[in-house]
Amino acid sequence: MATTLTASTLKVSIEETITLNGVNHGSFNTYSVPSINEVSRRIVNVPTSVKTIAEFSTSTIGPGKFDSDDIRYLRVTNLDASNYITVGVASSTDTAYFKVLAGGSFVITDINVDTNTGGSAFSAFVRVTGITAQANTGAVDVELFTASV
């Protein structure tokens, strides 16, 4: 079967706007990701217990499961107005946790990570195997957006 889908470039823009004492200190940057031919965008309700919101593998794809060779961009946005979430980025051996405040986003542009609990220097990158989320004091809605080649 021949596809009729044409790959496109994902453009991500980040803008900070602030004026202090009459002086603009804002910034605007654009990041481009070429050859994207698959996107996934969903909103999930995250409780106060840890829930897996994305898994990565080279052998299984499906709902919430993505090919780790193909992911080029991932964003988790906390849609809540007051509660923070804890985002866990797991490799085969360790997990790193990030606090994402209400309205904030966590962005990954590559799913390779090196985690070290002993404070040693960088060793080697390994693939992220999953992303978890956990709400702070009450369930929150979280947007998960991924882009793949």
Side-chain angles (χ1 to χ4, degrees), residues 26-48:
S27 179
F28 179 82
N29 290 284
T30 301
Y31 175 72
S32 295
V33 187
S35 305
I36 297 299
N37 62 16
E38 181 180 315
V39 295
S40 173
R41 180 178 174 245
R42 65 185 189 138
I43 296 173
V44 295
N45 188 267
V46 173
T48 56

Side-chain angles (χ1 to χ4, degrees), residues 45-53 86-90 95 97 131-135:
N45 188 267
V46 173
T48 56
S49 57
V50 176
K51 294 296 175 187
T52 299
I53 60 172
T86 301
V87 174
V89 178
T95 302
Y97 295 97
I131 305 286
T132 62
Q134 179 179 9

Side-chain angles (χ1 to χ4, degrees), residues 55-77:
E55 294 179 297
F56 306 99
S57 166
T58 56
S59 60
T60 305
I61 61 171
K65 297 181 179 185
F66 304 93
D67 188 326
S68 59
D69 288 339
D70 295 341
I71 288 285
R72 296 295 184 269
Y73 176 86
L74 179 140
R75 174 180 51 82
V76 177
T77 298

Side-chain angles (χ1 to χ4, degrees), residues 48-137:
T48 56
S49 57
V50 176
K51 294 296 175 187
T52 299
I53 60 172
E55 294 179 297
F56 306 99
S57 166
T58 56
S59 60
T60 305
I61 61 171
K65 297 181 179 185
F66 304 93
D67 188 326
S68 59
D69 288 339
D70 295 341
I71 288 285
R72 296 295 184 269
Y73 176 86
L74 179 140
R75 174 180 51 82
V76 177
T77 298
N78 180 356
L79 300 177
D80 200 74
S82 57
N83 288 311
Y84 72 83
I85 61 172
T86 301
V87 174
V89 178
S91 69
S92 58
T93 58
D94 292 308
T95 302
Y97 295 97
F98 300 88
K99 184 177 184 178
V100 179
L101 299 176
S105 293
F106 176 77
V107 175
I108 297 175
T109 58
D110 188 289
I111 66 161
N112 289 293
V113 65
D114 178 34
T115 56
N116 188 314
T117 58
S120 298
F122 171 79
S123 175
F125 285 118
V126 295
R127 291 282 170 88
V128 170
T129 57
I131 305 286
T132 62
Q134 179 179 9
N136 175 34
T137 59

